[in-house]
Amino acid sequence: MSVRTRFAPSPTGYLHVGGARTALFNWLFARHHGGVFVLRVEDTDEARNTDEAKEAIFGGMKWLGLDWDEGPQVGGGFGPYFQSERREIYDRWFAKLVDAGRVYEDGGAWRFRFDRRPVTMHDLVCGEVTIDYRDESNTPDMVVKRSDGSYVFHFVNVVDDLEMRISHVIRGEDHLMNTPKHLQLIEAFGMEAPKYAHIPLILNPDGSKMSKRDEGAAVGDYPRQGFLPSAVVNFIAMLGWSPKNDEEIFSLDELVSRFSLEQVNRAPARFDLEKCQWVNQQHLMRLDAASFAREARPFVEQAGLPIGDSFESVMAAVKDKVRLLTEVPKAVDFLLRDDFSYDDEAMAKAGSNPAVRDVFGKLAGLFDKIDEWSADAAKAALSEAAASAGAKVGQMMFPLRVALTGRGQGPDMADVLNILGKQRSIARVNVFNQKLA
């Protein structure tokens, strides 16, 4: 049987991280098995559906790299892919239930007549689950068509899965108890049911269920906050799935090759934004200098910083120092412009050594004598200035950092010296001396 999975969001708001995780697991499973991933839109709630929400879902999935083989914008042989356009299909399947005597009218609505027996489902994650339909007080017959003529979720969901020949339904555990209802409907239609896999809920760090209002819930926020899509996909994949070893950092291709439903955890997953930021840092570190510069550039430009000819070298100097792309402007502002501020605490610490004034009073002149500028040549000049003042060169490295960057930490000093060059380094030492006076 060929694998066909689907993601069926309702366009009533932004793409939630839980929905993105469901889409990802379906996408990974389909790609791992060389199957088809379908996107269909459950847009029958006209009062709550919006075009903005629809675009947010499509845009979020595209940003994550989750392309779909069938669905809106790409077409396919089992459309239309919006539920609002499938009324004739639902009417046709409803007529089958009428002909089979499995529905009856009740106050204008139509109910599906359950077969009064235990129904057992075999879930690929949760195992065996049984619902006993013999007690009608606990399991009343299900409304499938409302009095206004519209169909309920359980009916259209089942019809769409059957019509679109979905082989595997991978969805949140909150749907687990709905599945026996769906199995009864599928049996009434005389069709074969897809295989079901219900994935664990996502909880906040405190154990509460993650809602749309919680931090980190909206996928649309991640690009603005400086996350890479590969990192967010990596992090979301680990919310409920594990490769069964200590590896944590994966590319999208690596996830495709590793993913299986057998490795989906039964226990709820805990969302941890700090961990997501750490994963992002690992993905940033994996980028080559040119790719990092390309990703960081919009954030640097938005901060109003000049790009300059040495932009890629500047980016390479801080690539391994930031967790988020939003941190890049602050990490490089002193390298891209000369009108930066000096940290008061760092200045106080730099000037606390009595030898600093003597050493740095000589340093600008020694820098000026360097014919071929390099970090090694600059450090040799610092060593000479320190020796003439009877100071240890190691004690002068921190003041040098503050003199050239205005802060007590940052990129490697060799990178700073090479990027700034001779004249800018001399000018900054002179400014530093003025501040010490």
Side-chain angles (χ1 to χ4, degrees), residues 284-285 287-290 292-293 296 310-322 328 331-336 401 405 409-420:
L284 290 174
M285 291 169 67
L287 296 177
D288 58 43
F292 180 81
S310 60
F311 183 70
E312 190 170 309
S313 297
V314 172
M315 293 301 103
V318 300
K319 183 171 75 74
D320 295 347
K321 308 290 185 182
V322 297
V328 172
V332 301
D333 61 347
F334 63 89
L335 291 173
L336 295 176
R401 175 177 294 282
T405 72
Q409 57 187 9
D412 186 86
M413 282 307 299
D415 291 330
V416 173
L417 287 162
N418 287 328
I419 290 167
L420 290 179

Side-chain angles (χ1 to χ4, degrees), residues 115-146:
D115 191 358
R116 294 296 166 185
R117 58 178 174 78
V119 174
T120 299
M121 61 170 289
H122 301 276
D123 190 87
L124 296 176
V125 173
C126 301
E128 234 178 53
V129 178
T130 300
I131 300 293
D132 193 343
Y133 284 88
R134 288 176 295 188
D135 186 350
E136 195 168 342
S137 65
N138 289 334
T139 55
D141 288 340
M142 172 176 62
V143 172
V144 291
K145 189 175 184 181
R146 302 182 186 91

Side-chain angles (χ1 to χ4, degrees), residues 363 367 370 372-383 400 417 425:
L363 188 59
F367 274 0
I370 298 174
E372 292 188 18
W373 181 265
S374 69
D376 287 341
K379 288 178 179 179
L382 178 66
S383 181
L400 179 64
L417 287 162
S425 295

